[in-house]
Amino acid sequence: MKKQVLALAIAAVFLAACGKKEEPAPAPATPVAAAPAAPAAPAGPMLDDEKTLNIYNWPDYIPEGMIAAFEQEFGIKVNYNTFENNEALHAKLVAGNSGYDIVIPTAGFAKKQIDGGLYQPIDKSKIANYGNLDPDFMAKIAGVDPENKHLVPWAWGFTTVGINKQKVEKALGGMPMPENAWDLVFKPEYSSKLRSCGIAYLDSPSEILPVALHYVGKPAYSEDPADFKLAGEMLAKVRKDVRLFSSTMIDDIASGKACAFVGWSGDINIAADRVKEMGGKDEIVPLLPTGGGLVFIDTMAIPKDAKHVLNAHAFIDFYLRGSNGALMANEMNYPTGNKAALADIKDEIKGNATIFLSPEDTARLIPTGGFSNEIASTLNDTYNAFKRGK
Ligand code: N2P
């Protein structure tokens, strides 16, 4: 961050110097050949007349200062709002006239939004930095967005189990940690012990049901109501042990409201850093369950009715600079699929096995996917029945 601020300060000083009026130079005594014309300044990206950009993203998902840097460089005012889960974003998009120019859906969830015509195609010719993206990563996204027409990667991670190590060990009282960390939150033998220090789940059907389905041996994105029944029965058995359904997981972990949680990998790492900074003794650890974490690839998309489409492309191009991808990994603990970022990612981040996964852990991940509209009511009913404890 410091480097970026410094660069901006230097740029500001330089621009100020350029703007200063010079005294006219005395006319030369003898005529000289005209100096060659100065090369034209490189043209900036095309922008909309209205210098506004409305972005809708997840909380705690952008490095500090990145929006301000964009605003300063492009002279665009950014209105930045957040949503708590894919369901909330979806409702906003389906209602129409969201007012947003860039939204950040998870790729698997975005499939039905693409199919429903809620996004406009990205104009790659306006994104000079598009080539920074890793083709293998883009091929994964093409599974839900053929030819990568609508989605540009923001960041990726996985939904997993995290723990407060000391509190969990104490609550388990000598019982060894399970081989598959999902047992901590899905198996009554463990959850009944962790109840005392608190279990928290992310509050979202599309986060909890895929891991629950996978845990009971069914496809994570099953379309079979019988599979949901099975997952619902498993969840019902641990319901009494779940203290909270959280939309503010970083705070809830850091403030000690829960000792075991179903959360997002990077957010658990952010909470771990926060506890350390506050001088806390407990270690917060995202685990790599043998049962696999649930991959999410979050992406930028431009809603069909966006009003500032050129500004949106300028922001996407800005975000795809290698330096910005590196900031996402270094400060937010989320990799971005940006090849050009790799050189600037700190060794301690590259060496963190819960951010840059080993091939073995990668192979165990539950691949990204999505539910169809047909199964949506079964998904929601199963989740709501679980949450209500009915
Ligand atoms: C939020 C990052 C995770 C979003 N801080 C999960 N799709």
Side-chain angles (χ1 to χ4, degrees):
M1 275 321 290
K2 274 199 190 115
K3 241 192 228 162
Q4 204 187 25
V5 172
L6 185 67
L8 281 172
I10 292 170
V13 168
F14 181 67
L15 288 172
C18 287
K20 234 199 257 160
K21 282 234 172 78
E22 298 288 335
E23 290 298 312
T30 49
V32 290
M46 284 197 297
L47 300 176
D48 296 289
D49 291 340
E50 194 182 11
K51 299 291 176 283
T52 301
L53 179 67
N54 301 317
I55 301 181
Y56 202 31
N57 197 355
W58 304 75
D60 305 297
Y61 216 21
I62 191 161
E64 209 187 319
M66 191 180 278
I67 290 294
F70 174 79
E71 288 182 318
Q72 183 161 352
E73 182 173 334
F74 292 85
I76 288 174
K77 164 86 184 85
V78 176
N79 300 307
Y80 189 89
N81 293 318
T82 60
F83 56 85
E84 288 162 0
N85 53 36
N86 275 303
E87 287 81 359
L89 167 61
H90 189 68
K92 190 70 121 190
L93 291 171
V94 170
N97 293 318
S98 69
Y100 289 107
D101 303 305
I102 295 183
V103 296
I104 321 281
T106 302
F109 206 101
K111 185 177 178 340
K112 59 183 172 192
Q113 296 160 352
I114 296 169
D115 294 346
L118 296 177
Y119 296 131
Q120 55 181 285
I122 300 284
D123 182 349
K124 295 173 191 167
S125 74
K126 294 196 167 62
I127 304 176
N129 290 315
Y130 199 86
N132 287 345
L133 292 165
D134 177 352
D136 291 341
F137 192 67
M138 296 310 285
K140 286 198 188 108
I141 301 174
V144 291
D145 179 30
E147 296 167 48
N148 301 120
K149 272 197 188 139
H150 306 87
L151 307 178
V152 180
W154 178 263
W156 75 273
F158 54 99
T159 302
T160 192
V161 185
I163 56 167
N164 177 316
K165 197 164 171 282
Q166 286 73 13
K167 282 191 182 164
V168 162
E169 279 169 5
K170 189 163 172 234
L172 289 181
M175 189 178 179
M177 282 284 282
E179 194 192 314
N180 180 7
W182 287 114
D183 287 350
L184 292 172
V185 292
F186 287 152
K187 198 170 188 180
E189 219 177 310
Y190 294 93
S191 63
S192 58
K193 292 216 152 53
L194 300 181
R195 183 182 186 183
S196 55
C197 55
I199 293 179
Y201 280 21
L202 283 171
D203 191 7
S204 159
S206 63
E207 300 283 356
I208 300 304
L209 261 304
V211 287
L213 283 158
H214 184 77
Y215 184 75
V216 297
K218 299 297 176 188
Y221 293 97
S222 170
E223 293 281 314
D224 182 352
D227 293 350
F228 282 83
K229 190 162 176 290
L230 208 62
E233 285 165 5
M234 180 279 286
L235 289 170
K237 291 191 188 131
V238 294
R239 175 62 187 91
K240 65 174 182 2
D241 301 329
V242 180
R243 183 182 288 175
L244 68 150
F245 291 87
S246 171
S247 300
T248 49
M249 193 61 92
I250 298 176
D251 290 345
D252 293 338
I253 297 172
S255 65
K257 281 195 192 139
C259 64
F261 19 87
V262 178
W264 298 308
S265 50
D267 285 29
I268 300 173
N269 274 312
I270 293 174
D273 294 342
R274 199 174 289 176
V275 168
K276 243 185 258 162
E277 279 160 24
M278 293 184 315
K281 297 270 171 295
D282 289 355
E283 285 166 79
I284 306 297
V285 197
L287 301 172
L288 293 158
T290 53
L294 179 75
V295 174
F296 55 82
I297 300 177
D298 295 326
T299 55
M300 293 177 272
I302 304 180
K304 184 121 198 119
D305 51 12
K307 302 255 177 338
H308 309 98
V309 175
L310 293 172
N311 297 350
H313 281 86
F315 182 83
I316 293 172
D317 189 43
F318 166 83
Y319 183 77
L320 292 185
R321 290 176 186 173
S323 53
N324 284 333
L327 284 175
M328 270 302 281
N330 289 335
E331 292 186 18
M332 308 309 295
N333 300 311
Y334 285 107
T336 63
N338 185 330
K339 282 188 305 182
L342 288 175
D344 292 328
I345 296 178
K346 292 182 203 155
D347 287 344
E348 70 191 77
I349 299 289
K350 279 188 194 149
N352 182 328
T354 65
I355 301 177
F356 284 86
L357 273 58
S358 71
E360 298 75 47
D361 287 323
T362 304
R364 272 202 284 261
L365 288 172
I366 308 166
T368 186
F371 292 110
S372 71
N373 279 327
E374 285 68 50
I375 202 73
S377 59
T378 307
L379 168 71
N380 291 331
D381 291 351
T382 309
Y383 182 75
N384 290 331
F386 161 57
K387 202 173 155 184
R388 283 197 315 267
K390 294 268 160 65

